C-alpha cells in the first residue's frame, strides 16, 4: 500500500475512535441544540470521509511510494524520544540539574558525539547555564528531586 | 503603552536571538520563535510580544548569513539570496553581500512597518459590529485559509485542519462546561494549550528530522560587514522598492510568506535591472530585492493576524500563540481592549529594525562560531531548552510529555507530507468557531439562517467561499498545465 493509503487507513481508524468517544460525552442540562458532542461528532464524520478519499487516492496510485523509513533515522528519532521520556521519568527523583545534564550528555552521545570528558563537561556546563537562567534568574520552580531533598533533609 | 526603555531591550534581545536562530540551517523563524515562546510566559505581555516579533525580524536577516557564506540558506526565505550572495562571496565580496542584506532588510522592515501601522487598525475598525455569527464566520474565513495553504494537496491540508479542530475540542466544553476527551485526567480539563502543539510540531519535529541528517558545512572565513557606498545605495534602491512592494502583498496573502516573495522579488528585480547579465554571477541587486522582500513580509504578515486573528504564515501563527498565552485574543477587539499592547508592538518593531542593523553588525562573529559548532552539541542544547521551557509554562511534566507527543505527530506529518499550518489554524481557531457557532444558534433559536442574514457575517462567508474556490481553481489549472506539459 502507498504512503497515502497507510495514512488514510490510520486516520479512518482515528475518526472511528474519536466518534465513539464523542458519542459518550454526556449531555448537560444546559445543553444547546448542538450539545457538547455535536461538533466533535461532525469533525469525526468529516475526517472519516476525507480519510476514505485519501485511501482511495492511495490505492489508485499504482506503484506509489511505499511507507518506509530508513532504520537509522527511525533509531535516531526513537532514541531522541526515549531520552525525552527518560528525562520526564527521572527528573522528579534526581532533580532538574542532574536530569538535564543527563539529557544533554545522552543526546550529544546519541546524535553521534563521542562519550568522552568533553561531552560530559559540556553537558554539565550546559545544565548549569540553563539552571541559572530558569531557576536563578526567571525563578521557575523546577523539581529539586526527592533524592536530593532526602539528602539535605527537606520534606 | 510600554515605554521605549522597556520595549527596546526586548527588541534587541529578540533580534539577537532571531539572528542566531536564523543563522542555523534548518531552524526557520517560526522554530526560533517557538523555542523562545515558553520563556516569554513569565514576562509582561507587551514585552513578550515585542520579543517574539523581533525574533521574527532578526531571523529573516540571520537566514542570509549561511546563505551567503556556505551556500546553505538558514531559512527558506533566504534561498533566493544564495544565488547572488554566494557568487559575491566567491568573488571575495562576502562582507559587501552581508552589508547589502542587512541594509535592504532594514529598508524592507521599515516599509513593512509603515504599511502595518496604516492598515492593521483600519481593518479592525469594524470591531464593534462583530456578533457571535460574525465571529463564527470570521473563524470560517480563517479556516478557509487552509485551502490557500494547500500547495501540494488540498485533501491533506483539510485533514490537518480537521485534526486541529479535534485537538481544540479536548477539555471543558465552552458552552455547557462538560468534560470532553479528558479521560479523567485533570491536566486535560483546560484543554491542550496551542503553545504545546506549536513547540511540538515546529521545534521538536525539526529536531527529530534533523537527527537523521548529516551536519551542515562549516564557514571557513570571517568577513567584516561593509555597508553599501552611496553609488551602490542608488543602484539597489529600485530592487529594494520592488522587494518591499512584493513583500507587502505577499505578507497580506495567506500562504504567501517570505519564501515566495523573495523569489518573486528576485525575478522582478532582474526584469527591471539595467544589469540583467550580472544576475546569478554576484549582482548586488540580486541580494537586495529578496532581502527587502522577506523583511517586509515579517511586518505585513502581522496585518491579518492582528486585525482578524488569522495567521497567514507559520511565524504569524507562533506569534498568535504568544498572544493567546498572555490572554490576548488577536482580532477585531484587540485594538479596543489592548491598544497599549498593539502600540508597544509597533514601537518594538521600529526598535527591532534599528536593532537589526546594530546587532547584525556586532553578532557576525558569534553567528559564525555557532554555525561552526558540532551538530550533536547544538541539538542537545536545543532539546534541553525545549524541555526546560515547556516545563516553565505551568510547572507541569505532563505538558512536557504532551509537547513530545506533538513532536512525534509533527515528524509523522512531515513524513506523510501533511502541511503543519492548517493543523495550527484548526487548534487556534477551533474554540472561536465552536463557541460562537453555538452561541449564535442559541441567540437565533436554532435558526441557521442567522449566519447569512447578518451582512458582516454573510460578507465574511462569501470571502471564505471565494478563497476556497480560488484555491481549487488554481490547483485544477496547475494540474491541467502539468498534464499538458506531459503530453
Amino acid at each position: 500500500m502507498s504512503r497515502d493509503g497507510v495514512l488514510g487507513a490510520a486516520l479512518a481508524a482515528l475518526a472511528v475512535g474519536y466518534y465513539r468517544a464523542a458519542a459518550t460525552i454526556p449531555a448537560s442540562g444546559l445543553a444547546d441544540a448542538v450539545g457538547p458532542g455535536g461538533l466533535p461528532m461532525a469533525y469525526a464524520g468529516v475526517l472519516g470521509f476525507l480519510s476514505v478519499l485519501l485511501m482511495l487516492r492511495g490505492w489508485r496510485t499504482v506503484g506509489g511510494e511505499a511507507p518506509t523509513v530508513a532504520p537509522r533515522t527511525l533509531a535516531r528519532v526513537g532514541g531522541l524520544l526515549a531520552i525525552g521520556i527518560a528525562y520526564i521519568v527521572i527528573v522528579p527523583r534526581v532533580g532538574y540539574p542532574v536530569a538535564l545534564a543527563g539529557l544533554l550528555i545522552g543526546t550529544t552521545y546519541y546524535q553521534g558525539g563521542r562519550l568522552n570528558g568533553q561531552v560530559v563537561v559540556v553537558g554539565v556546563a550546559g545544565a548549569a547555564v540553563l539552571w541559572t537562567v530558569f531557576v536563578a534568574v526567571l525563578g521557575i520552580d523546577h523539581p529539586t528531586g526527592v533524592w536530593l531533598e532526602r539528602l539535605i533533609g527537606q520534606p | 503603552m510600554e515605554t521605549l526603555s522597556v520595549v527596546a531591550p526586548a527588541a534587541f534581545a529578540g533580534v539577537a536571538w532571531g539572528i542566531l536562530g536564523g543563522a542555523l540551517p534548518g531552524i526557520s523563524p517560526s522554530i526560533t520563535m517557538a523555542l523562545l515562546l515558553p520563556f516569554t510566559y513569565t514576562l509582561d505581555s507587551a514585552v513578550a510580544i515585542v520579543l517574539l516579533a523581533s525574533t521574527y525580524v532578526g531571523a529573516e536577516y540571520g537566514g542570509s548569513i549561511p546563505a551567503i557564506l556556505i551556500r546553505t540558506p538558514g531559512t527558506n526565505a533566504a534561498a533566493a539570496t544564495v544565488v547572488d550572495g554566494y557568487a559575491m562571496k566567491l568573488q571575495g565580496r562576502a562582507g559587501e553581500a552581508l552589508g547589502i542584506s542587512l541594509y535592504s532588510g532594514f529598508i524592507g522592515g521599515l516599509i513593512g512597518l509603515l504599511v502595518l501601522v496604516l492598515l492593521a487598525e483600519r481593518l479592525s475598525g469594524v470591531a464593534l459590529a462583530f456578533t457571535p455569527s460574525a465571529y463564527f464566520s470570521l473563524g470560517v474565513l480563517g479556516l478557509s485559509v487552509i485551502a490557500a495553504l494547500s500547495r501540494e494537496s488540498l485533501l491533506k491540508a483539510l485533514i490537518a485542519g480537521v485534526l486541529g479542530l479535534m485537538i481544540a475540542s479536548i477539555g471543558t466544553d465552552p458552552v455547557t462546561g462538560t468534560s470532553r476527551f479528558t479521560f479523567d485526567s485533570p491536566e486535560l480539563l483546560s484543554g491542550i494549550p496551542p503553545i504545546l502543539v506549536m513547540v511540538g510540531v515546529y521545534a521538536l519535529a525539526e529536531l527529530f528530522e534533523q537527527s537523521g541528517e548529516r551536519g551542515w558545512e562549516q564557514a571557513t572565513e570571517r568577513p567584516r560587514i561593509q555597508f553599501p557606498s552611496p553609488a551602490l545605495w542608488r543602484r539597489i534602491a529600485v530592487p529594494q522598492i520592488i522587494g518591499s512592494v512584493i513583500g507587502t502583498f505577499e505578507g497580506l496573502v495567506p500562504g504567501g510568506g517570505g519564501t515566495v516573495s523573495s523569489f518573486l522579488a528576485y525575478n522582478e528585480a532582474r526584469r527591471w535591472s539595467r544589469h540583467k547579465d550580472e544576475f546569478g554571477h554576484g549582482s548586488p541587486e540580486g541580494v537586495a530585492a529578496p532581502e527587502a522582500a522577506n523583511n517586509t513580509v515579517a511586518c505585513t504578515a502581522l496585518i491579518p493576524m492582528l486585525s482578524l486573528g488569522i495567521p497567514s504564515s507559520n511565524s504569524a501563527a507562533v506569534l498568535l500563540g504568544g498572544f493567546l498565552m498572555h490572554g490576548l485574543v488577536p482580532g477585531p477587539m484587540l485594538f479596543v481592549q489592548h491598544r497599549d499592547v498593539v502600540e508597544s508592538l509597533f514601537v518594538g518593531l521600529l526598535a527591532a529594525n534599528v536593532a537589526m542593523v546594530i546587532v547584525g553588525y556586532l553578532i557576525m562573529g558569534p553567528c559564525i562560531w555557532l554555525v561552526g559548532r558540532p551538530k550533536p552539541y547544538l541539538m542537545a542544547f536545543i532539546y534541553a531548552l525545549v524541555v526546560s521551557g515547556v516545563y516553565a509554562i505551568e510547572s507541569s511534566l505532563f505538558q512536557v510529555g504532551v509537547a513530545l507527543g506533538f513532536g512525534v505527530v509533527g515528524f509523522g506529518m512531515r513524513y506523510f507530507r501533511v502541511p503543519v499550518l492548517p493543523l495550527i489554524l484548526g487548534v487556534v481557531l477551533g474554540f472561536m468557531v465552536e463557541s460562537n457557532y453555538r452561541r449564535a444558534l442559541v441567540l437565533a433559536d436554532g435558526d441557521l439562517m442567522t449566519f447569512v442574514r447578518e451582512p458582516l457575517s454573510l460578507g465574511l462567508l462569501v470571502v471564505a467561499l471565494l478563497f476556497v474556490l480560488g484555491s481549487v481553481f488554481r490547483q485544477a489549472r496547475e494540474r491541467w498545465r502539468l498534464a499538458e506539459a506531459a503530453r
Side-chain angles (χ1 to χ4, degrees), chain B residues 69-443:
Chain B
L69 297 182
I70 57 173
R71 206 184 185 183
T72 307
T75 60
N76 289 338
T81 308
V82 169
V83 185
D84 283 287
Y86 188 68
M88 288 178 79
K89 185 249 174 187
L90 292 179
Q91 294 161 9
R93 296 158 63 202
E96 186 187 338
L98 287 165
I100 292 168
S101 165
L102 194 53
Y103 169 64
S104 302
F106 171 69
I107 296 293
L110 286 188
I111 293 173
L113 178 59
L114 189 67
V115 177
L116 170 67
V117 173
L118 291 175
L119 277 188
E121 188 163 5
R122 281 170 201 228
L123 263 176
S124 66
V126 286
L128 298 174
F130 270 74
T131 58
S133 302
Y135 269 113
F136 165 74
S137 302
L138 182 60
V140 172
L141 174 62
L143 291 174
S144 73
V145 168
I146 288 171
L149 297 170
S150 57
R151 295 201 180 276
E152 280 190 36
S153 165
L154 178 60
L155 186 57
K156 286 184 181 176
L158 289 173
I159 286 172
V162 176
L163 286 174
L165 290 171
M166 287 161 72
I167 294 166
S169 69
I170 294 171
T172 307
D173 174 46
V175 176
T176 63
T178 310
S179 299
R180 302 188 299 187
F181 311 108
T182 55
F183 307 104
D184 298 326
S185 166
E187 283 99 342
L188 286 174
L189 278 175
S190 54
I192 294 180
I195 181 180
L196 299 184
V197 184
M198 290 178 190
V199 170
V201 299
Y202 287 125
L204 284 170
E206 180 64 35
L207 205 63
F208 291 156
E209 186 150 307
Q210 291 268 345
S211 73
E213 291 173 9
R214 296 175 60 192
W216 47 77
E217 209 181 310
Q218 311 268 306
T220 51
E221 61 176 286
R222 287 191 172 210
R224 198 180 166 85
I225 289 181
Q226 292 168 26
F227 285 105
S229 63
L232 193 54
W233 273 32
R234 285 192 290 276
R235 183 174 164 187
I236 60 176
V238 172
Q240 283 172 343
I241 292 167
I242 290 171
S244 299
V245 171
I246 289 173
T248 298
F249 285 106
E250 288 296 323
L252 292 169
V253 176
T259 313
V260 179
S261 68
S262 299
F263 279 102
L264 281 176
Y266 182 86
N267 198 37
E268 289 307 308
R270 185 175 178 275
R271 193 209 300 253
W272 292 91
S273 174
R274 289 180 190 166
H275 313 275
K276 287 188 181 66
D277 51 322
E278 278 186 35
F279 276 75
H281 305 286
S283 166
E285 296 161 75
V287 175
E291 287 301 313
N294 63 38
N295 272 79
T296 306
V297 170
C299 288
T300 54
L302 304 186
I303 296 171
M305 196 278 284
L306 286 176
S307 53
L308 300 173
I310 299 172
S312 60
S313 67
N314 287 316
S315 303
V318 179
L319 187 60
L320 176 65
F323 272 90
L324 295 175
M325 201 168 75
H326 286 273
L328 308 166
V329 182
M333 290 305 285
L334 183 71
F335 287 78
V336 178
Q337 291 170 338
H338 301 285
R339 193 176 186 83
D340 54 331
V341 176
V342 178
E343 286 174 354
S344 296
L345 174 63
F346 291 162
V347 174
L349 280 171
L350 179 64
N353 278 289
V354 175
M356 188 176 72
V357 179
I358 300 166
V359 179
Y361 185 79
L362 298 173
I363 211 169
M364 182 54 63
C367 269
I368 294 171
W369 178 83
L370 191 66
V371 174
R373 290 312 87 209
K375 200 174 163 190
Y377 286 107
L378 281 172
M379 289 190 61
F381 195 75
I382 291 172
Y383 203 11
L385 205 60
V386 170
V387 295
S388 305
V390 170
Y391 181 85
I393 298 169
E394 286 182 23
S395 297
S396 162
L397 283 170
F398 177 81
Q399 293 200 340
V400 178
V402 171
L404 276 176
F406 277 107
V408 176
V409 170
F411 179 76
M413 290 178 79
R414 287 163 185 234
Y415 174 71
F416 284 107
R417 297 191 189 118
V418 178
V420 168
L421 189 52
L423 177 92
I424 300 295
L425 277 171
V427 172
V428 297
L429 294 173
F431 178 82
M432 180 165 98
V433 169
E434 180 173 10
S435 57
N436 286 295
Y437 173 71
R438 290 168 61 189
R439 275 185 202 131
L441 284 181
V442 168
L443 289 172

Side-chain angles (χ1 to χ4, degrees), chain A residues 46-66:
Chain A
V46 174
L47 182 67
F49 174 70
L50 296 173
S51 307
V52 170
L53 288 183
L54 192 63
M55 270 194 284
L56 290 174
R57 197 171 82 176
W59 283 325
R60 226 177 45 187
T61 316
V62 180
E65 202 178 347

Side-chain angles (χ1 to χ4, degrees), chain A residues 9-95:
Chain A
L11 288 170
L14 176 68
V16 171
Y18 184 85
Y19 183 87
R20 290 178 68 168
T24 61
I25 296 171
S28 158
L30 299 167
D32 50 323
V34 180
L39 280 183
M41 282 195 278
Y43 297 154
V46 174
L47 182 67
F49 174 70
L50 296 173
S51 307
V52 170
L53 288 183
L54 192 63
M55 270 194 284
L56 290 174
R57 197 171 82 176
W59 283 325
R60 226 177 45 187
T61 316
V62 180
E65 202 178 347
T68 53
V69 186
R72 186 172 165 269
T73 307
L74 206 58
R76 283 275 167 95
V77 174
L80 212 54
L81 185 65
I83 290 170
I85 293 168
Y87 170 82
I88 295 172
V89 173
I90 67 162
V91 73
R93 292 167 180 79
V94 302

